[in-house]
Amino acid sequence: MSSINVMITGVGGGGVGEQILKCLRMSSLDYNIIGCDMDRNSMGLANVDKAYLAPAASHKDYMENIINICKANDVHVLFHGSEPEMRVLSKNRQILADNGIFVPFNPEKVIDICLDKYLTMNFLKDNGFEIPQYWEVKDEADLQKIDVFPIVLKPSVGGGGSVNTFIAQNTEELELFGKYLLKIYNQFLAQEYIGKIEDEYTVGILHGSTGEYINSIAVKKNILPGLSNKTRVANRTSKSDLGEILAISSGVSQGEIGRFPEVTEPCKKIAQKLGCTAALNIQCRVYNHKIYVFEINPRISGTSSLRAMVGYNEPDILIREKVLGEKTEVNFPYQSGYIARGLSEKFISYEFMKTL
């Protein structure tokens, strides 16, 4: 195969779609990359080989539009660049398969569990993994059941980039933030804040399409820089073991990257228990020498380009395994070190935008 046609949805700047695009550009293979986004101002559209506008994943014509683009460009592989698109594409995976389009999906069961943070906590608890205390909040009465502080309040579904995520350090803040969230969501998750900011990791576990384990990697996150930080407050509780600062990551991770077996080994067991057949990303902190998981993303990570920089290119590996039939060495070697992130800019001409 001289050229592999790959389509990436949601290629807008800052998202998973952009990360996948960066990964494929680092590969030695010849990828012809087709990109789509709902925003004509998307920087990603200017960085692909062929660009399309597409409706939102919630639009009735979304699937028809995606299939038509794939057919017009003889697409071999389709990557979803956002969680709403992953949901829709997962529900329509048979249609994609019938059209000869490979999508590196985890099983639908895995996606359903991991896209709901409350179900994720239930799964981890039921299978004996360490987790923070947690509560599902559906009304103001549920707030009265919470007696642990500090506490993290966040949407059970959605909330990418820590949107509408708050730290409450006392009953007054719990009621304030809780009532606010109940005006927006039917329910949300309250989760015990645990561990110090310097002990947070994002962990990648990679499996092949038939479920065989391939490799793992972790980033020990530095969540205080502005780009990587969503919320930071002084610790006003009596729990000095949590450190002087309490903070929540923005999802734009940076930090030390490497094997970190003390966190990747326990996370491998979680991925195996879930039954993964693609990339999985686990958010956790180390506390009292134990791994406490607080979130799982059933997809390629927002740190995938960082991983590709050290020789751990998840999208490229998944394509080689499924499309080219290549055998990937289990626990293949890659570099370790520190990766810092910043901003980049791109001029997009009106002439280009008119072609979309």
Side-chain angles (χ1 to χ4, degrees):
M1 186 178 292
S2 59
S3 181
I4 302 173
N5 299 330
V6 180
M7 180 172 169
I8 308 171
T9 69
V11 291
V16 173
E18 182 194 39
Q19 288 291 303
I20 295 170
L21 173 58
K22 288 181 178 180
C23 290
L24 296 183
R25 291 301 190 203
M26 291 185 220
S27 172
S28 61
L29 294 179
D30 181 19
Y31 288 119
N32 178 43
I33 303 177
I34 298 95
C36 71
D37 201 273
M38 57 189 292
D39 183 1
R40 67 174 59 250
N41 296 320
S42 162
M43 186 170 80
L45 292 177
N47 289 331
V48 297
D49 298 308
K50 196 169 184 179
Y52 290 87
L53 290 178
S58 57
H59 195 281
K60 62 181 179 62
D61 296 329
Y62 175 78
M63 274 305 301
E64 181 181 0
N65 190 279
I66 295 299
I67 292 293
N68 287 341
I69 294 173
C70 288
K71 286 182 176 179
N73 293 278
D74 190 24
V75 166
H76 307 114
V77 185
L78 172 64
F79 285 101
H80 42 80
S82 70
E83 288 190 356
E85 290 174 305
M86 176 169 59
R87 285 182 179 276
V88 175
L89 294 174
S90 174
K91 300 296 182 185
N92 290 275
R93 60 177 67 205
Q94 189 57 53
I95 296 174
L96 295 165
D98 291 344
N99 281 276
I101 303 166
F102 168 56
V103 185
F105 277 134
N106 276 301
E108 192 166 344
K109 175 194 72 172
V110 176
I111 292 174
D112 289 343
I113 290 172
C114 296
L115 287 187
D116 186 314
K117 297 178 182 65
Y118 181 68
L119 295 182
T120 300
M121 291 296 103
N122 286 344
F123 167 83
L124 293 168
K125 179 182 178 181
D126 291 345
N127 286 280
F129 297 107
E130 299 286 354
I131 54 172
Q133 295 184 68
Y134 67 100
W135 296 261
E136 185 178 38
V137 180
K138 294 184 176 181
D139 52 41
E140 291 185 22
D142 288 333
L143 295 173
Q144 308 305 316
K145 303 173 184 176
I146 300 171
D147 57 359
V148 172
F149 296 99
I151 198 88
V152 177
L153 311 179
K154 57 187 178 182
S156 297
V157 178
S162 300
V163 171
N164 288 322
T165 298
F166 301 93
I167 300 173
Q169 301 192 60
N170 52 49
T171 301
E172 182 181 5
E173 293 180 355
L174 172 62
E175 291 183 357
L176 176 66
F177 297 140
K179 289 178 180 179
Y180 170 75
L181 287 172
L182 285 171
K183 291 181 183 295
I184 306 173
Y185 305 102
N186 294 326
Q187 71 276 326
F188 64 87
L189 184 70
Q191 200 173 56
E192 177 188 10
Y193 183 102
I194 201 162
K196 293 183 177 181
I197 54 177
E198 58 264 31
D199 293 324
E200 183 168 321
Y201 295 80
T202 180
V203 181
I205 309 294
L206 187 62
H207 286 78
S209 59
T210 57
E212 69 281 11
Y213 167 76
I214 296 177
N215 212 338
S216 60
I217 194 169
V219 175
K220 186 177 185 181
K221 297 161 71 172
N222 180 0
I223 67 174
L224 289 185
L227 192 63
S228 298
N229 182 252
K230 183 65 176 181
T231 301
R232 58 180 291 174
V233 293
N235 182 3
R236 293 178 280 102
T237 72
S238 61
K239 296 181 178 178
S240 58
D241 59 335
L242 300 180
E244 296 181 358
I245 299 293
L246 309 179
I248 300 292
S249 169
S250 68
V252 183
S253 302
Q254 57 185 305
E256 296 179 58
I257 189 167
R259 292 202 175 271
F260 294 105
E262 64 273 23
V263 293
T264 54
E265 288 301 317
C267 288
K268 281 168 58 177
K269 295 177 182 178
I270 294 173
Q272 182 182 34
K273 193 69 177 180
L274 278 166
C276 294
T277 56
L280 189 79
N281 201 57
I282 298 175
Q283 310 294 332
C284 62
R285 283 191 180 181
V286 177
Y287 182 63
N288 288 336
H289 308 291
K290 295 180 180 179
I291 305 303
Y292 286 82
V293 173
F294 55 86
E295 198 165 309
I296 303 177
N297 301 311
R299 53 165 172 76
I300 288 174
S301 167
T303 61
S304 57
S305 70
L306 281 65
R307 299 170 181 182
M309 290 171 69
V310 300
Y312 188 104
N313 193 327
E314 291 158 296
D316 188 55
I317 292 167
L318 291 169
I319 292 173
R320 289 174 182 271
E321 181 253 341
K322 184 68 175 182
V323 178
L324 300 182
E326 294 184 8
K327 181 69 174 178
T328 302
E329 177 187 353
V330 174
N331 289 323
F332 59 83
Y334 55 83
Q335 295 178 292
S336 59
Y338 188 96
I339 294 183
R341 301 179 93 166
L343 295 173
S344 64
E345 294 75 34
K346 187 177 185 70
F347 171 71
I348 301 175
S349 69
Y350 288 133
E351 285 73 20
F352 171 79
M353 291 169 62
K354 289 175 183 177
T355 67
L356 297 174

